[in-house]
Amino acid sequence: MARALYPGTFDPVHRGHLDVVQRAAQIFDHVIVAVLENPDKSPAFSAAEREEFLRLALTDIPNVSVTRFGGLTVACAKEHGASVILRGLRAVLDFDYEVQLAMMNRHLEPTVETFFMLTKSRYAYLSSSLVKQMAKFSAPVGEFVTPAVAEALRRLALQA
Ligand code: ADP
């Protein structure tokens, strides 16, 4: 049984993330999407909101679950019985940082392997921060996020 943990901030989740989960669900027996509660990053959405957006978006995939974590990714992987940490790769820009993370995680827990999944080219330039910036200036984001996220971004823009 290969279980994969897909950790991230997901602030908020977008179609690039969802595409990675959908494809991973066809490869691994189970995919656990883990929302990082990272106070250093001061996210736009609370961990509970980010988790809920993911849950709503992934409800139709039976072998995917969503959780939240606050500590080390490898500890979360062990806790959930995952032998794989899954990360998405967009451009070369992601590579250095992702390799650094993967190496450190291997050092901490050699039994957990990091797998990288390449984004689909149409999502290569998609990031949560870009989506938030677009929404802030009332640019349409419906193509990149789920309806629940688009609505929440609209509300956020109105409050600003
Ligand atoms: P981080 O976990 O670094 O704070 P995110 O929460 O945005 O960043 O992303 C979680 C994971 O999804 C990371 O592995 C990231 O590289 C990947 N990812 C982000 N955007 C995309 C995209 N457009 N296509 C594929 N993977 C992506």
Side-chain angles (χ1 to χ4, degrees), residues 19-21 23-24 27-28 86-89 115-119:
D19 171 61
V20 166
V21 182
R23 284 187 288 139
I27 295 166
F28 297 101
L86 177 68
R87 295 286 287 173
L89 279 183
F115 275 49
F116 295 108
M117 192 172 262
L118 276 187
T119 185

Side-chain angles (χ1 to χ4, degrees), residues 6-20 23 34 36 38 41 50 86-90 94 97-98 101 116-120 122-129:
Y6 182 38
T9 313
F10 304 111
D11 184 42
V13 62
H14 55 61
R15 297 212 183 276
H17 298 132
L18 294 174
D19 171 61
V20 166
R23 284 187 288 139
L36 177 62
N38 186 351
K41 275 205 166 177
R50 287 178 275 140
L86 177 68
R87 295 286 287 173
L89 279 183
R90 283 163 293 191
D94 284 336
Y97 174 65
E98 291 293 339
L101 274 184
F116 295 108
M117 192 172 262
L118 276 187
T119 185
K120 281 208 184 128
R122 84 177 87 133
Y123 301 129
Y125 299 101
L126 185 55
S127 70
S128 297
S129 29

Side-chain angles (χ1 to χ4, degrees), residues 9-108:
T9 313
F10 304 111
D11 184 42
V13 62
H14 55 61
R15 297 212 183 276
H17 298 132
L18 294 174
D19 171 61
V20 166
V21 182
Q22 277 150 7
R23 284 187 288 139
Q26 290 169 15
I27 295 166
F28 297 101
D29 294 302
H30 195 90
V31 179
I32 305 133
V33 184
V35 174
L36 177 62
E37 294 190 72
N38 186 351
D40 298 344
K41 275 205 166 177
S42 46
F45 296 102
S46 70
E49 287 172 308
R50 287 178 275 140
E51 195 180 343
E52 183 60 17
F53 295 145
L54 278 157
R55 256 188 235 291
L56 280 171
L58 296 167
T59 184
D60 288 341
I61 315 181
N63 61 333
V64 171
S65 56
V66 183
T67 189
R68 226 190 288 176
F69 75 111
L72 288 173
T73 305
V74 285
C76 182
K78 290 296 266 182
E79 187 190 324
H80 290 274
S83 54
V84 166
I85 291 174
L86 177 68
R87 295 286 287 173
L89 279 183
R90 283 163 293 191
V92 176
L93 200 66
D94 284 336
F95 193 73
D96 269 356
Y97 174 65
E98 291 293 339
V99 169
Q100 204 181 329
L101 274 184
M103 294 286 187
M104 185 52 81
N105 284 332
R106 178 184 284 161
H107 169 79
L108 292 169

